[in-house]
Amino acid sequence: MSFELEGPVLEGALVRLEPLDHRHAADLARAAEENRDTYAFTWVPRAGEVGAYVDAQLARAATGRLAPYAQISTATGRAVGATAYWEPRCWLTDDQLDAVEVGFTWLGASAQGTGVNAEAKLLLFRYAFEHWGVSRVDLKTDARNSRSRAAIQSTGACFEGVLRNWSRSWAPGEDGRLRDSAIFSVTATEWAECRVRLEERVAGFLSRAG
């Protein structure tokens, strides 16, 4: 496969997605140490692990199979979490991206429920469908993670099912174990409706903030 993921800056009203860099580390360390109660099934680095976390994401990016982002709150100018494109798939030709996953997503507690996640998904989906021309964007999470599943479904993504023992578990205390993964997707034919839904959700957050 000759296609290599490379994500540009994606600018919204609530969030700006910047390619992840060590300049984001201090903000991410601060965000990661906010209330961590929602991270039961999601691995989020502790403050002292953020430097190694950024190194690991940049190493994955060097393979062309990951495009990691810092999520920057436009209200504060600070990094409040991370996300990424990853697992590009070119099924028909080597240089045309047919499908990609959005994953490696986490937000500090203070950014949750503010519209940052909804707008980040809008920006990522829009670029994938309207610039790369993908046929599918998919997302997955630990099947036990009801909070994450609800957040994904709120974007308009379709639940496809649970794949058993599908990937490594990131839950605390489960090193070396596999998890069941809940799989969701948005296809190109669904994108127009999904886009309207996400734009309306973001508009709602903006109106409440104003």
Side-chain angles (χ1 to χ4, degrees):
M1 185 181 73
S2 61
F3 187 93
E4 294 188 0
L5 284 178
E6 187 174 349
V9 173
L10 299 175
E11 187 86 36
L14 297 169
V15 64
R16 182 174 65 258
L17 301 181
E18 296 180 355
L20 183 65
D21 186 85
H22 278 287
R23 71 179 183 277
H24 301 119
D27 285 348
L28 291 177
R30 175 179 175 178
E33 290 300 330
E34 295 177 353
N35 187 335
R36 296 177 61 90
D37 290 348
T38 62
Y39 299 150
F41 299 105
T42 301
W43 185 82
V44 175
R46 303 300 307 225
E49 300 170 325
V50 167
Y53 164 79
V54 174
D55 284 339
Q57 292 295 75
L58 295 180
R60 293 184 181 105
T63 70
R65 297 191 57 80
L66 181 88
Y69 282 103
Q71 301 194 63
I72 312 299
S73 166
T74 59
T76 65
R78 294 196 301 267
V80 294
T83 191
Y85 288 119
W86 74 307
E87 291 203 354
R89 279 150 284 155
C90 299
W91 291 315
L92 301 179
T93 65
D94 284 346
D95 57 359
Q96 169 58 45
L97 185 64
D98 294 304
V100 70
E101 183 167 337
V102 170
F104 286 97
T105 301
W106 63 271
L107 284 172
S110 63
Q112 296 173 22
T114 64
V116 165
N117 180 64
E119 189 171 45
K121 294 299 191 294
L122 173 61
L123 296 172
L124 291 164
F125 291 0
R126 185 168 64 197
Y127 192 81
F129 285 113
E130 298 179 14
H131 180 80
W132 284 328
V134 301
S135 295
R136 168 189 174 96
V137 170
D138 43 77
L139 310 95
K140 66 176 181 283
T141 189
D142 192 306
R144 299 167 294 179
N145 193 340
S146 58
R147 184 185 182 95
S148 178
R149 290 176 65 158
I152 293 172
Q153 286 186 291
S154 72
T155 69
C158 176
F159 173 60
E160 296 186 331
V162 173
L163 298 178
R164 296 176 298 169
N165 291 343
W166 180 249
S167 60
R168 106 179 240 188
S169 175
W170 296 100
E174 294 188 356
D175 289 350
R177 293 176 56 182
L178 297 176
R179 75 177 194 191
D180 296 346
S181 291
I183 309 297
F184 299 80
S185 71
V186 180
T187 65
T189 56
E190 298 164 342
W191 166 233
E193 182 179 349
C194 178
R195 176 174 178 165
V196 169
R197 178 173 179 165
L198 283 169
E199 288 175 339
E200 289 176 346
R201 289 194 68 221
V202 171
F205 281 108
L206 287 169
S207 66
R208 291 193 289 275

